[in-house]
């Protein structure tokens, strides 16, 4: 469907006289009109937004005028046409996660807002600062103001509360009611999006407001900075340090720590200071702890035996550290929670016991605890115990055993097929060390993360939420961001999307690869083709391990994608033949196929590889 299809007049419907009414001002005067829409683009540019991911409609006549007037200006955001709103939102999400710079998603009325779908959930759960702006149906119908209703669809799109469609996923929603304060409203929204916990914001305005003529004005941008969090209370840093130093099996669980790229290094220093400490990355969307450190336990989604073994646990910026029905802490364990959002008010059911809960900046808190380990008397004494050396040796031995197990399992199968772990291991040898991996592989995510064993901050991203389809648009946004930061086309980091076949279908590949082709965004997509959605089966077995459905085939329980589509062919068709499409299913051919794809992407052409895994 064309982007304007939702708001198109019925065939043969007469144009309203309002739509064709000539205004008294001259052509030159019309072209130089300063409207709320002009102010809108000025405001987002001044606030640091450089890209608008747009899906336009009947509520945007003034926006279109302002776009044309701004074309060619150096201080005007780049406009990226997105044939699907979820893809637009995911692109802005990916861009923001890499740069910490909110970008704009510009959509239309209630139907476009609904089109954001799962991407709004993902940005909210994944703490991605995204600025969403949406038009509203006109509030006049008889020509009272410029922008009055001119098409039948504008009655259909006049809903009681458009903001309510997404309000529970947003940090802030508001309606702009006059152009006279549109810049302040925009900056308030962006300020909230950038303040912790970060997330999406949503503003909307009617056609009449967007058409409003006004005098140009500016705001003082330095007065709209995000709110900064402080650190831990002094006693809390000492308490946590003393507990970690005296523990036999201390454990730290983090989810979003790596969003700030200084945190993985700070956590490594903390683990150096506490020889027994081990660290779980709980999959909050970022690489939060380096795999080359002996404290590394890898990516585990709230299930790991170390939780029950630990006598002290620090939950650091993590939404769900464990699933109680699958494994919970020892009743005597000391637990400390440090988070930018420790109470999780958006989650209706959320609790676990803790000695202390603190709202604090993650990096500052980690540095405070590390410093307290060196200065707080009881902590210093505990770390001086000779048993600490033995603990460090045991941790090293356990780490080496874990790496050996990963190496043993990340190999081809005896019949010549391969799994996700072997694929990831081969891929890593072919791409640059600072490659960014956007992974949305669901049931194979842990195997991929284990095989990649990444240590550079910012090189691993996943959704953080549960709305499948994030990685298609997010990968494009990530690549746009890294190229923009590096100064131009394909000058940034190499970007790889690793996505399950079912999730690939959710990502709206027809839209994703049209955009990749239209705007020359060279990314590599690896589709893990295992003929369906395996996550529902895992969920089934956790509840009904011996039920009749446990013995049924994937086809019987309607989670099969067999025969599978031509995944790479879909991308190639959507890009009008620009995308390089490949397919592989045998281990002996995998390296050559991946190398060909990597070279194509390095040369500036996106590639999609359909990989049959088992």
């Amino acid at each position: 469907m064309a982007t304007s299809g939702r708001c198109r007049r019925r065939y043969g419907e007469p144009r309203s006289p309002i739509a064709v009414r000539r205004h008294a001002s001259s052509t030159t005067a019309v072209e130089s009109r300063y409207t709320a829409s002009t102010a809108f683009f000025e405001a987002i540019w001044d606030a640091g937004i450089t890209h608008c991911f747009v899906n336009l409609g009947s509520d945007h006549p003034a926006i279109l005028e302002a776009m044309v007037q701004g074309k060619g200006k150096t201080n005007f955001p780049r406009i990226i046409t997105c044939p699907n709103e979820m893809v637009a939102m995911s692109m802005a999400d990916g861009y923001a996660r890499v740069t910490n710079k909110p970008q704009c998603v510009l959509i239309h009325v209630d139907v476009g807002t609904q089109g954001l779908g799962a991407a709004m959930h993902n940005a909210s759960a994944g703490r991605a600062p995204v600025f969403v702006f949406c038009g509203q149906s006109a509030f006049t119908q008889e020509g009272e103001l410029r922008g009055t209703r001119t098409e039948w669809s504008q009655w259909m799109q006049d809903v009681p509360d458009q903001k309510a469609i997404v309000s529970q996923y947003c940090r802030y929603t508001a309606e702009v009611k006059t152009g006279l304060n549109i810049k302040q409203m925009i900056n308030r929204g962006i300020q909230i999006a950038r303040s912790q916990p970060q997330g999406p914001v949503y503003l909307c305005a009617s056609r009449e407001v967007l058409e409003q003529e006004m005098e140009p004005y500016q705001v003082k941008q330095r007065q709209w900075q995000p709110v900064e969090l402080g650190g831990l209370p002094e006693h809390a840093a000492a308490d946590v340090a003393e507990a970690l130093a005296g523990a036999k099996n201390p454990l730290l669980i983090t989810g979003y720590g790596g969003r700030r790229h200084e945190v993985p290094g700070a956590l490594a220093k903390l683990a150096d200071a506490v020889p027994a400490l081990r660290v779980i990355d709980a999959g909050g969307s970022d690489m939060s702890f380096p795999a080359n450190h002996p404290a590394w336990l890898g990516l585990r989604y709230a299930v790991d035996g170390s939780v029950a073994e630990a006598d002290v646990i620090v939950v650091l910026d993590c939404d769900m550290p464990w699933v109680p029905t699958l494994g919970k802490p020892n009743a005597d364990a000391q637990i400390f929670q440090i988070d930018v959002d420790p109470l999780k008010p958006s989650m209706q059911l959320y609790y676990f016991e803790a000695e202390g809960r603190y709202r604090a900046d993650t990096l500052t808190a980690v540095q405070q605890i590390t410093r307290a380990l060196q200065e707080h008397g009881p902590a210093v004494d505990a770390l001086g115990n000779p048993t600490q050396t033995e603990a460090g040796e045991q941790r090293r031995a356990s780490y080496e055993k874990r790496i050996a197990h990963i190496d043993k399992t990340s190999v081809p199968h005896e019949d010549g097929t391969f799994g996700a772990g072997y694929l990831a291991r081969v891929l890593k040898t072919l791409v640059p060390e600072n490659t960014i991996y956007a992974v949305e592989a669901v049931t194979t995510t842990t195997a991929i993360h284990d095989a990649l064993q990444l240590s550079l901050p910012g090189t691993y991203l996943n959704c953080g939420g549960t709305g499948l389809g994030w990685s298609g648009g997010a990968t494009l946004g990530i690549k746009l961001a890294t190229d923009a930061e590096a100064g131009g086309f394909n000058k940034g980091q190499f970007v790889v999307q690793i996505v399950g076949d079912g999730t690939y279908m959710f990502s709206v590949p027809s839209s994703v690869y049209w955009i990749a082709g239209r705007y020359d965004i060279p990314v590599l997509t690896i589709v893990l083709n295992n003929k369906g959605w395996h996550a529902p089966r895992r969920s089934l077995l956790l509840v009904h391990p011996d039920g009749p459905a446990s013995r049924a085939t994937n086809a019987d329980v309607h989670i099969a994608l067999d025969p599978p589509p031509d995944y790479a062919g879909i991308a190639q068709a959507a890009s009008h033949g620009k995308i390089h499409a490949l397919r592989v299913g045998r281990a002996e051919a995998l390296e050559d196929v991946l190398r060909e794809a990597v070279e194509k992407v390095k040369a500036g052409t996106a590639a999609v590889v359909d990989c049959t895994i088992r």
Side-chain angles (χ1 to χ4, degrees), residues 283-314:
S285 86
D286 303 87
M287 195 290 288
S288 295
F289 193 77
N292 59 4
H293 195 286
W296 181 76
L297 290 178
L299 173 65
R300 298 293 181 266
Y301 281 110
V303 179
D304 192 71
S306 60
V307 172
E309 297 169 359
D311 51 354
V312 171
I313 301 176
V314 177

Side-chain angles (χ1 to χ4, degrees), residues 22-347:
R22 295 185 63 85
H23 296 280
S25 55
S26 66
T27 302
T28 302
V30 169
E31 289 180 351
S32 62
R33 282 196 312 127
Y34 188 94
T35 67
S37 295
T38 314
F40 166 82
F41 284 109
E42 286 183 355
I44 63 173
W45 176 266
D46 291 343
I49 290 176
T50 56
H51 290 72
C52 282
F53 303 99
V54 308
N55 189 288
L56 302 164
S58 62
D59 44 335
H60 294 136
I63 291 288
L64 295 174
E65 290 280 298
M67 282 183 180
V68 172
Q69 292 171 13
K71 188 175 182 180
K73 293 182 178 179
T74 57
N75 58 344
F76 197 84
R78 184 183 182 189
I79 307 297
I80 304 291
T81 300
C82 298
N84 177 272
E85 291 91 348
M86 179 175 177
V87 176
M89 185 77 182
S90 298
M91 289 184 73
D93 177 317
Y95 197 111
R97 295 198 198 200
V98 171
T99 63
N100 198 33
K101 298 175 181 178
Q103 301 303 307
C104 177
V105 177
L106 185 57
I107 53 172
H108 62 291
V109 295
D110 62 325
V111 289
T113 302
Q114 293 174 70
L116 295 171
M120 182 63 81
H121 159 95
N122 292 335
S124 180
R127 303 186 184 181
V130 178
F131 176 71
V132 182
F133 191 85
C134 188
Q136 289 176 286
S137 185
F139 57 76
T140 60
Q141 68 176 29
E142 296 186 16
E144 299 96 321
L145 296 169
R146 190 196 300 271
T148 192
R149 294 185 186 183
T150 56
E151 301 169 74
W152 68 275
S153 58
Q154 288 152 8
W155 278 264
M156 306 300 107
Q157 297 156 350
D158 186 5
V159 295
D161 188 356
Q162 186 172 299
K163 306 185 303 299
I165 298 170
V166 294
S167 60
Q168 62 185 325
Y169 300 102
C170 291
R171 304 296 186 261
Y172 171 69
T173 62
E175 179 184 351
V176 179
K177 298 181 179 181
T178 173
L180 299 179
N181 64 5
I182 190 170
K183 290 190 174 184
Q184 290 90 334
M185 293 290 287
I186 288 169
N187 276 280
R188 172 169 163 76
I190 294 173
Q191 182 181 48
I192 293 172
R194 294 178 63 202
S195 298
Q196 298 290 356
Q198 295 184 334
V201 297
Y202 177 97
L203 267 65
C204 54
S206 69
R207 296 206 326 172
E208 292 92 337
V209 170
L210 294 174
E211 292 279 0
Q212 182 180 353
E213 293 189 43
M214 49 192 282
E215 291 297 318
Y217 76 103
Q218 297 294 323
V219 297
K220 294 179 179 179
Q221 210 61 50
R222 65 181 182 276
Q223 297 179 352
W224 294 96
Q225 297 305 306
V227 174
E228 295 185 13
L229 284 178
L232 294 169
E234 186 175 342
H235 74 86
D239 290 346
V240 175
E242 185 174 343
L244 288 174
K248 292 183 178 180
N249 293 299
L251 178 68
L252 187 144
I253 306 173
T254 185
Y256 297 95
R259 182 68 56 84
R260 191 165 174 181
H261 292 178
E262 301 93 337
V263 169
L267 285 175
K269 290 181 179 179
L270 176 62
D272 288 340
V274 183
L277 181 64
R278 293 179 294 171
V279 180
I280 289 177
D281 189 328
S285 86
D286 303 87
M287 195 290 288
S288 295
F289 193 77
N292 59 4
H293 195 286
W296 181 76
L297 290 178
L299 173 65
R300 298 293 181 266
Y301 281 110
V303 179
D304 192 71
S306 60
V307 172
E309 297 169 359
D311 51 354
V312 171
I313 301 176
V314 177
V315 180
L316 179 71
D317 220 7
C318 172
D319 284 341
M320 201 61 230
W322 52 79
V323 176
T325 55
L326 299 180
K328 59 184 179 181
N330 184 294
D332 296 326
Q334 285 184 281
I335 301 171
F336 301 90
Q337 184 187 20
I338 304 167
D339 204 307
V340 301
D341 182 30
L343 298 180
K344 317 293 179 188
S346 64
M347 298 182 185

Side-chain angles (χ1 to χ4, degrees), residues 476-563:
L476 300 185
I478 292 165
K479 182 58 178 173
L480 279 177
T482 187
D483 280 1
E485 294 291 303
F489 172 72
N490 220 13
K491 291 184 178 180
Q493 290 164 264
F494 195 92
V495 179
V496 178
Q497 173 195 12
I498 304 178
V499 60
D501 50 3
T503 303
Y504 176 85
M505 297 292 279
F506 280 127
S507 72
V508 198
S510 57
S511 179
V512 169
Y513 295 103
W514 180 86
I515 296 168
R518 166 64 179 79
Y519 295 100
D520 293 321
I521 307 175
V523 296
L524 173 59
T525 295
I526 305 295
V527 181
L528 305 175
N529 183 350
N530 59 6
K531 298 185 178 181
W533 295 282
H534 287 212
R537 177 171 292 282
R538 183 176 62 182
S539 300
L540 162 73
L541 295 176
L542 287 171
V543 180
H544 301 290
D546 301 312
S550 69
R551 299 182 292 276
T553 66
N554 283 356
D556 288 338
V557 293
H558 308 287
I559 58 174
L561 287 172
D562 192 14

